Amino acid sequence: MKDILSEIIANKRFEVDLQKQAISIEQLQEGISESPTPRSMKQALASSASGIIAEFKRRSPSKGWIQEEACPEEIVPSYAAAGASALSILTDEKFFGGSLKDIRAARPLVEIPILRKDFIIDEYQLYQAKIVGADAVLLIAAALELEKCNELAEKAHELGLEVLLEIHSSEELAYINKGIDMVGINNRNLGTFFTDIENSFRLAGQLPQDAVLVSESGISDPEIVKRLRAAGFRGFLIGETFMKTQRPGETLQNFLQAIQ
């Protein structure tokens, strides 16, 4: 099985280098003062009865196009109106069909926190996230050396961004420290893209009791969310289940009713 994560990261390095040539990090730093006031995703999840992080994504490496013409100006407000606790917006273009413009378009339309979901490997991407109005960023343990992950988490906090750390196995527990705001368990292996929802349950007991836990990928049944909540999870990142339907906001609304 081809390691998809390695391919994505190699492309991301190339992409970020190109972006730096077009707009320097100094230029990004100058634009920071104009960015919107951040909202706390951690607090939104901790205080929410549902904890649904509704995701806007057009495609994935494993499924191909899910909704190629999806428009953030329509779907994102419908998620907020339906009762999402937070939003995840994919900004990787090559593999997920997204861009930073999707966050920029969505930000003025909703009051709930927005996560920039991407493969963050450089502080340059943190400045980008801040400028377009993201409130939190995803850091993926499998994509980063431990020291680099810590550096990026520290920089994110300096910029007023929260950090959702994504882990997949017990080997990555070492990445959790006080600089991490939320811990996400990815049920999908990023090397093979195989999904196993039980991964969240396996790792839940090994995580810090005070951590705000998020389960990611493969969640399509409201009953699973109930089980995960009972196991200590407060956030549930769901994209495909909503995005593959004609009206994602309506699908989310029905999903939330089934949880209650």
Side-chain angles (χ1 to χ4, degrees):
M1 173 67 77
K2 178 174 66 174
D3 187 338
I4 302 169
L5 182 62
S6 300
E7 192 185 334
I8 292 173
I9 296 302
N11 181 71
K12 192 58 60 180
R13 290 191 198 290
F14 175 71
E15 201 179 273
V16 172
D17 284 344
L18 279 182
Q19 289 167 349
K20 285 178 179 176
Q21 287 167 31
I23 299 171
S24 71
I25 195 160
E26 289 76 20
Q27 286 171 288
L28 285 188
Q29 286 164 342
E30 283 167 19
I32 287 291
S33 57
E34 297 159 31
S35 56
T37 308
R39 299 150 175 83
S40 173
M41 184 171 163
K42 180 180 181 177
Q43 284 176 348
L45 296 180
S47 61
S48 167
S50 71
I52 300 295
I53 305 163
E55 185 160 87
F56 179 86
K57 76 169 172 183
R58 296 184 181 89
R59 74 183 302 265
S60 82
S62 56
K63 300 283 169 71
W65 288 106
I66 299 161
Q67 204 180 135
E68 191 170 352
E69 302 304 319
C71 174
E73 291 92 339
E74 289 169 20
I75 292 171
V76 168
S78 77
Y79 275 158
S85 305
L87 299 157
S88 167
I89 299 182
L90 269 144
T91 59
D92 175 84
E93 191 167 354
K94 182 174 179 182
F95 296 91
F96 291 88
S99 85
L100 285 161
K101 289 176 190 162
D102 294 332
I103 296 182
R104 202 186 276 282
R107 179 70 286 170
L109 306 176
V110 293
E111 288 300 319
I112 57 177
I114 295 177
L115 170 77
R116 177 188 185 182
K117 193 174 181 197
D118 208 317
F119 298 82
I120 306 277
I121 53 166
D122 192 294
E123 67 171 43
Y124 186 87
Q125 296 163 283
L126 302 177
Y127 284 101
Q128 290 176 321
K130 183 67 179 174
I131 285 171
V132 296
D135 304 291
V137 290
L138 182 75
L139 295 182
I140 303 170
L144 296 162
E145 296 290 336
L146 178 56
E147 196 177 332
K148 185 67 177 175
C149 188
N150 290 340
E151 273 174 33
L152 290 170
E154 203 175 308
K155 189 67 187 177
H157 284 162
E158 275 178 36
L159 296 175
L161 294 164
E162 290 184 340
V163 172
L164 171 61
L165 170 73
E166 176 180 299
I167 66 171
H168 179 74
S169 65
S170 53
E171 288 77 42
E172 294 167 347
L173 292 169
Y175 282 74
I176 303 168
N177 60 44
K178 63 182 190 308
I180 301 302
D181 301 290
M182 299 157 283
V183 180
I185 309 289
N186 197 345
N187 302 311
R188 181 174 290 127
N189 181 308
L190 287 175
T192 63
F193 267 63
F194 173 74
T195 304
D196 176 16
I197 199 79
E198 292 303 317
N199 199 41
S200 281
F201 295 104
R202 277 195 294 273
L203 285 172
Q206 300 176 53
L207 295 163
Q209 290 301 296
D210 58 347
V212 173
L213 305 184
V214 177
S215 182
E216 308 170 26
S217 304
I219 304 169
S220 57
D221 183 347
E223 290 305 314
I224 292 283
V225 171
K226 291 180 189 175
R227 278 182 61 209
L228 287 164
R229 272 197 86 82
F233 286 86
R234 287 294 164 264
F236 313 93
L237 199 149
I238 306 174
E240 216 169 286
T241 298
F242 306 142
M243 290 297 298
K244 69 183 181 187
T245 65
Q246 289 228 292
R247 294 188 179 82
E250 216 172 278
T251 310
L252 166 60
Q253 199 169 12
N254 295 336
F255 194 93
L256 284 168
Q257 283 167 357
I259 294 171
Q260 293 152 7

